[in-house]
């Protein structure tokens, strides 16, 4: 009923203005009373319910039902400057309080309700299409983009701190319910009942956490993370003016093209990109001028928190946003000596790919690809030894390097993708990471080496099968008129697998060319499975690469044949011969190829993936929205890997 009369009463705008003044009072009170907190909590909760209902049931694309435009007299009555835009005023008040107020047991519920209100206010994105256009209207999130840099910086800082510190709701929330002193009037009793209703989800959440293993979860941390992701990945399209003419003369018109679109700068994304470590500031050393407020974050705590929370997709997306967008944080990660803090949960998630979404797997691979672009990272992971890998079930992995484990899991991911997902981008990313690692491989284990050679065998079988099928279709093309189309599709797929096989051969070449003496197990695996290379010896795409492999095979086969051994051959004896002769290996006859170097670049219209992806994560964590009103969730993930 209140929503139906909002057009005449402007109740939504007035409640939101009342909330802002309540928050303003809290910020300036020297002693913040429980009554002030209760008033603000109630205003935030009622505003969320009211606002969400109108957004979900809005009849127009421009959300006219919100009725946020007050006349000058009403603005004066609500102590609002006549030239102040209501959305900007509201977002300024909410964001200023979030950024300036510390989370305490007393204020925890209010912070949560304000974050929930923020999500509701920005949920207008769910009603728009997957590709941002200048015609899209998002009153509150656009208002958030127009805040002063100090408000933006303090908000992003506080959202990060909430994610890191993971504040919990106190079990004793009676302070929100019981009236102060002897106030036992009807309104106080009604307020107590309303407060019980508001707090019920948090009581339930606390109870469940107290009796489960998810004690590290925090509603406030989760909401803060979602707000951070929504704000930093938002993009506002710019309308482009073009001049067109008709019979009546020249006339200016505004047109929009997705291909040539441009976007306003996102201050929250910029704040994330410019964040610096509280313990170290490169700006001070380089003497580079810095404009605007400097956002400082405890990188050490952020690193540790991410390592503990990467089972959650939203945390994975935050890690991606940081290492892709913030060069300082990426550099911080690369110099850490405990890279297993991040890599072990990433590899475990890839190991359990069948229980994860394809988007999450893809984001994790992009993270590994970005890290593998650094040579020091590739060297470090082979020096870091793991006593064991308890979640790896196929075999016991004891005293294995992080680099060897990474090779094993990536190859396993390729195998899983080959049989289940069949996603070309996933294949490409896995092979790109392995190619970046190859020149720096050090003491690859026997199992990892065997899996690497088996990867070539697995892909070659797929290639051979496709070639045979294509030949059969070509022979029957006169009988089956669709055979030509099928053969053409198969030719494309064969070309793709040809590229994959070449990359694997280049990976093996890089190891043999730059790191053979350090990898006797790789040499042994190639010797042991040398027959898998024979069918491709004369292939025009592979012959040069295979010449190097056969140079290595000839060298070590001849050394083995020269040995006179008593008794039968054994793995240890062959491996010992390889190790001894690796010392005299000089690489004579080997052709030097340019090292493969794969880099990740975001697609030009990456917002078409990231905006829907963020909201899909928000909805998956319990944020409810009327399904019939959602137009956003239509695009799946894509990406771009380039060979530099």
């Amino acid at each position: 009923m209140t929503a139906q009369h909002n057009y005449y009463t402007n109740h939504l705008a007035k409640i939101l203005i009342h909330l802002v003044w309540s928050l303003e009072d809290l910020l300036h009170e020297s002693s913040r009373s429980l009554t002030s907190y209760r008033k603000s909590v109630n205003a935030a909760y009622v505003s969320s319910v009211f606002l969400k209902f109108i957004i979900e049931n809005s009849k127009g694309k421009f959300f006219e039902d919100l009725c946020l435009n007050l006349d000058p007299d009403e603005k004066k009555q609500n102590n609002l400057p006549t030239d102040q835009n209501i959305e900007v005023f509201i977002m300024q008040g909410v964001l200023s309080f979030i950024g300036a107020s510390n989370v305490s047991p007393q204020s925890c519920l209010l912070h949560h309700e304000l974050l929930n209100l923020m999500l509701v206010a920005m949920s207008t994105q769910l009603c728009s299409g997957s590709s941002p256009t200048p015609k899209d209207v998002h009153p509150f999130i656009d208002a958030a983009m127009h805040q002063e840099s100090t408000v933006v910086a303090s908000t992003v800082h506080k959202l990060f701190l909430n994610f890191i510190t993971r504040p919990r709701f106190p079990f004793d929330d009676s302070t929100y319910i019981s009236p102060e002193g002897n106030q036992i009037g009807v309104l106080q009793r009604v307020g107590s009942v309303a407060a019980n209703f508001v707090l019920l989800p948090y009581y339930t959440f606390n109870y469940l956490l107290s009796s489960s293993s998810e004690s590290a979860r925090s509603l406030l941390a989760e909401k803060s993370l979602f707000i951070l992701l929504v704000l930093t990945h938002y993009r506002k399209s710019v309308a482009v003016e073009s001049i067109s003419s008709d019979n009546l003369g020249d006339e200016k018109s505004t047109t929009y093209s997705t291909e040539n679109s441009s976007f306003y700068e996102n201050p929250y994304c910029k704040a994330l990109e410019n964040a610096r470590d509280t313990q170290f500031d490169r700006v001070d050393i380089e003497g580079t001028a810095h404009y605007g407020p400097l956002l400082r974050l405890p990188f050490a705590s952020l690193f540790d928190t991410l390592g503990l929370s990467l089972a959650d997709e939203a945390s994975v997306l935050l890690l991606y946003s940081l290492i892709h967008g913030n060069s300082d944080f990426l550099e911080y990660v690369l110099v850490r000596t405990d890279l297993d803090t991040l890599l072990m949960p990433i590899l475990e998630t890839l190991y359990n790919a069948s229980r994860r979404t394809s988007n999450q797997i893809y984001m994790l691979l992009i993270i590994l690809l970005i890290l593998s672009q650094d040579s020091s990272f590739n060297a470090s992971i082979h020096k870091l030894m793991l006593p064991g890998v308890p979640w790896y079930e196929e075999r016991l992995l004891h005293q294995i390097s992080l680099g060897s484990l990474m090779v094993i899991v990536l190859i396993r991911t390729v195998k899983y993708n080959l049989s289940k997902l069949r996603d070309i981008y996933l294949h490409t990313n896995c092979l790109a990471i392995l190619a970046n690692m190859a020149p720096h491989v050090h003491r690859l284990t026997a199992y990892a080496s065997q899996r690497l050679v088996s990867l070539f065998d697995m892909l070659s079988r797929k290639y051979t099968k496709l070639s045979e099928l294509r030949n059969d279709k070509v022979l029957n093309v006169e009988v089956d008129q669709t055979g030509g189309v099928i053969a053409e599709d198969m030719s494309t797929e064969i070309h793709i697998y040809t590229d994959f096989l070449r990359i694997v051969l280049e990976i093996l070449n890089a190891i043999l060319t730059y790191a053979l003496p350090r990898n006797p197990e790789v040499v042994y695996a190639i010797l042991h499975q040398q027959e898998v290379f024979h069918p491709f010896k004369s292939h025009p795409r592979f012959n040069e690469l295979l010449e190097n492999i056969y140079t290595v095979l000839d060298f070590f086969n001849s050394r083995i044949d020269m040995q006179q051994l008593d008794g039968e051959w054994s793995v240890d004896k062959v491996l010992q011969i390889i190790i001894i002769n690796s010392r005299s290996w000089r690489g004579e006859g080997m052709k030097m190829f340019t090292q493969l170097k794969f880099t990740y670049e975001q697609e030009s219209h990456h917002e078409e993936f990231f905006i829907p992806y963020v909201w899909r994560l928000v909805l998956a964590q319990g944020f409810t929205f009327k399904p019939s009103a959602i137009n956003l969730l239509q695009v799946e993930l894509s990406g771009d890997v380039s060979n530099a």
Side-chain angles (χ1 to χ4, degrees), residues 509-534:
N509 260 269
I511 296 174
L512 297 176
T513 304
Y514 299 101
L516 186 148
R518 304 194 303 270
N519 292 282
E521 294 287 2
V522 176
V523 176
Y524 179 87
I526 292 174
L527 285 168
H528 184 66
Q529 301 183 70
Q530 56 188 288
E531 69 280 354
V532 303
F533 303 108
H534 291 320

Side-chain angles (χ1 to χ4, degrees), residues 29 129 136 165 219 224 237 243 472 479-480 503 507 520 528 553:
E29 283 182 9
D136 293 339
T165 59
L219 278 175
S224 297
S237 295
I243 299 177
D472 290 343
V479 179
D480 184 1
I503 292 174
I507 291 168
H528 184 66
L553 285 171

Side-chain angles (χ1 to χ4, degrees), residues 155-385:
T155 300
V156 173
H157 181 257
K158 186 53 61 69
L159 294 173
F160 265 110
L161 288 186
N162 288 345
F163 173 72
I164 293 169
T165 59
R166 315 190 80 73
R168 297 279 301 279
F169 289 100
F171 280 98
D172 181 14
D173 292 310
S174 59
T175 53
Y176 289 105
I177 301 172
S178 303
E180 295 181 60
N182 296 318
Q183 297 174 351
I184 54 174
V186 174
L187 290 178
Q188 282 75 24
R189 294 180 185 276
V190 172
S192 296
V193 173
N196 272 299
F197 179 76
V198 174
L199 289 167
L200 180 60
Y202 312 123
Y203 287 139
T204 305
F205 187 79
N206 273 338
Y207 173 76
L208 292 175
L209 288 186
S210 66
S211 57
S212 73
S213 60
E214 297 187 63
S215 57
R217 280 192 66 192
S218 162
L219 278 175
L220 202 60
E222 290 179 1
K223 283 287 196 299
S224 297
L225 176 55
F226 289 141
I227 296 294
L228 191 59
L229 293 175
V230 171
L231 288 172
T232 55
H233 286 284
Y234 177 68
R235 301 191 89 194
K236 177 69 173 178
S237 295
V238 179
V240 180
E241 269 196 353
S242 64
I243 299 177
S244 61
S245 60
D246 53 25
N247 295 332
L248 299 176
D250 293 342
E251 177 181 286
K252 279 190 176 182
S253 65
T254 301
T255 60
Y256 176 75
S257 169
T258 303
E259 294 301 321
N260 301 315
S261 59
S262 58
F263 300 89
Y264 291 104
E265 185 175 272
N266 182 327
Y268 297 88
C269 181
K270 187 62 65 177
L272 182 143
E273 291 174 358
N274 292 331
R276 299 289 182 266
D277 190 6
T278 53
Q279 300 299 318
F280 176 77
D281 184 11
R282 188 197 298 175
V283 174
D284 295 337
I285 293 177
E286 296 180 353
T288 305
H290 182 86
Y291 299 98
L294 185 62
L295 174 61
R296 291 187 177 277
L297 296 173
F299 279 5
S301 299
L302 180 57
F303 180 92
D304 293 338
T305 302
L306 285 166
L308 293 171
S309 58
L310 286 179
D312 173 50
E313 276 193 78
S315 296
V316 171
L317 183 53
L318 179 63
L319 175 58
Y320 162 81
S321 302
L322 284 164
I323 68 167
H324 178 263
N326 188 305
S327 58
D328 277 49
F329 187 77
L330 173 59
E331 183 178 321
Y332 176 83
V333 171
L334 293 173
V335 300
R336 288 280 297 225
T337 57
D338 57 341
L339 283 167
D340 54 314
T341 300
L342 285 184
L343 291 187
M344 286 300 281
I346 289 176
L347 295 177
E348 183 177 2
T349 303
L350 291 175
Y351 178 79
N352 294 308
S354 60
R355 287 176 275 178
R356 304 295 182 179
T357 67
S358 58
N359 287 347
Q360 184 178 9
I361 298 303
Y362 196 74
M363 293 307 302
L364 290 171
L365 290 174
I366 292 173
I367 290 169
L368 293 180
L369 177 59
I370 294 172
L371 295 174
S372 73
Q373 292 169 197
D374 184 83
S375 57
S376 65
F377 168 84
N378 295 319
S380 297
I381 57 176
H382 288 285
K383 297 175 183 176
L384 203 162
M385 299 302 296

Side-chain angles (χ1 to χ4, degrees), residues 48 92 160 490 493:
S48 296
Q92 180 182 358
F160 265 110
M490 285 187 177
E493 196 168 358

Side-chain angles (χ1 to χ4, degrees), residues 301-541:
S301 299
L302 180 57
F303 180 92
D304 293 338
T305 302
L306 285 166
L308 293 171
S309 58
L310 286 179
D312 173 50
E313 276 193 78
S315 296
V316 171
L317 183 53
L318 179 63
L319 175 58
Y320 162 81
S321 302
L322 284 164
I323 68 167
H324 178 263
N326 188 305
S327 58
D328 277 49
F329 187 77
L330 173 59
E331 183 178 321
Y332 176 83
V333 171
L334 293 173
V335 300
R336 288 280 297 225
T337 57
D338 57 341
L339 283 167
D340 54 314
T341 300
L342 285 184
L343 291 187
M344 286 300 281
I346 289 176
L347 295 177
E348 183 177 2
T349 303
L350 291 175
Y351 178 79
N352 294 308
S354 60
R355 287 176 275 178
R356 304 295 182 179
T357 67
S358 58
N359 287 347
Q360 184 178 9
I361 298 303
Y362 196 74
M363 293 307 302
L364 290 171
L365 290 174
I366 292 173
I367 290 169
L368 293 180
L369 177 59
I370 294 172
L371 295 174
S372 73
Q373 292 169 197
D374 184 83
S375 57
S376 65
F377 168 84
N378 295 319
S380 297
I381 57 176
H382 288 285
K383 297 175 183 176
L384 203 162
M385 299 302 296
L386 306 169
V389 187
W391 43 263
Y392 197 91
E393 298 177 353
E394 277 80 351
R395 63 169 58 203
L396 180 65
L397 298 179
H398 182 65
Q399 288 299 318
I400 184 174
S401 71
L402 186 58
S404 290
L405 178 62
M406 194 162 155
V407 169
I408 293 168
V409 172
L410 286 170
I411 293 172
R412 190 179 186 276
T413 305
V414 172
K415 185 177 180 180
Y416 168 73
N417 182 54
L418 195 63
S419 61
K420 300 293 183 182
L421 300 179
R422 299 177 184 177
D423 183 344
I424 182 175
Y425 291 108
L426 194 149
H427 268 343
T428 302
N429 276 282
C430 287
L431 295 177
I433 298 164
L434 290 169
N436 286 346
M437 293 170 59
H440 311 278
V441 166
H442 185 84
R443 296 195 177 279
L444 203 65
T445 64
Y447 182 53
S449 302
Q450 178 264 322
R451 298 304 298 156
L452 189 56
V453 178
S454 294
L455 174 62
F456 181 86
D457 185 32
M458 179 175 60
L459 293 173
S460 67
R461 291 174 187 272
K462 179 68 174 177
Y463 171 88
T464 303
K465 184 177 180 180
L466 286 169
S467 298
E468 292 172 352
L469 286 172
R470 182 189 61 179
N471 292 336
D472 290 343
K473 292 298 179 183
V474 170
L475 290 173
N476 296 327
V477 69
E478 294 181 1
V479 179
D480 184 1
Q481 294 300 317
T482 63
V485 177
I486 294 173
E488 184 178 337
D489 291 342
M490 285 187 177
S491 294
T492 302
E493 196 168 358
I494 288 171
H495 180 74
I496 291 169
Y497 276 90
T498 302
D499 289 340
F500 288 161
L501 284 169
R502 183 174 175 85
I503 292 174
V504 176
L505 286 176
E506 294 207 50
I507 291 168
L508 292 171
N509 260 269
I511 296 174
L512 297 176
T513 304
Y514 299 101
L516 186 148
R518 304 194 303 270
N519 292 282
E521 294 287 2
V522 176
V523 176
Y524 179 87
I526 292 174
L527 285 168
H528 184 66
Q529 301 183 70
Q530 56 188 288
E531 69 280 354
V532 303
F533 303 108
H534 291 320
F536 301 94
K537 197 170 183 180
S538 59
H539 194 291
R541 289 287 306 279

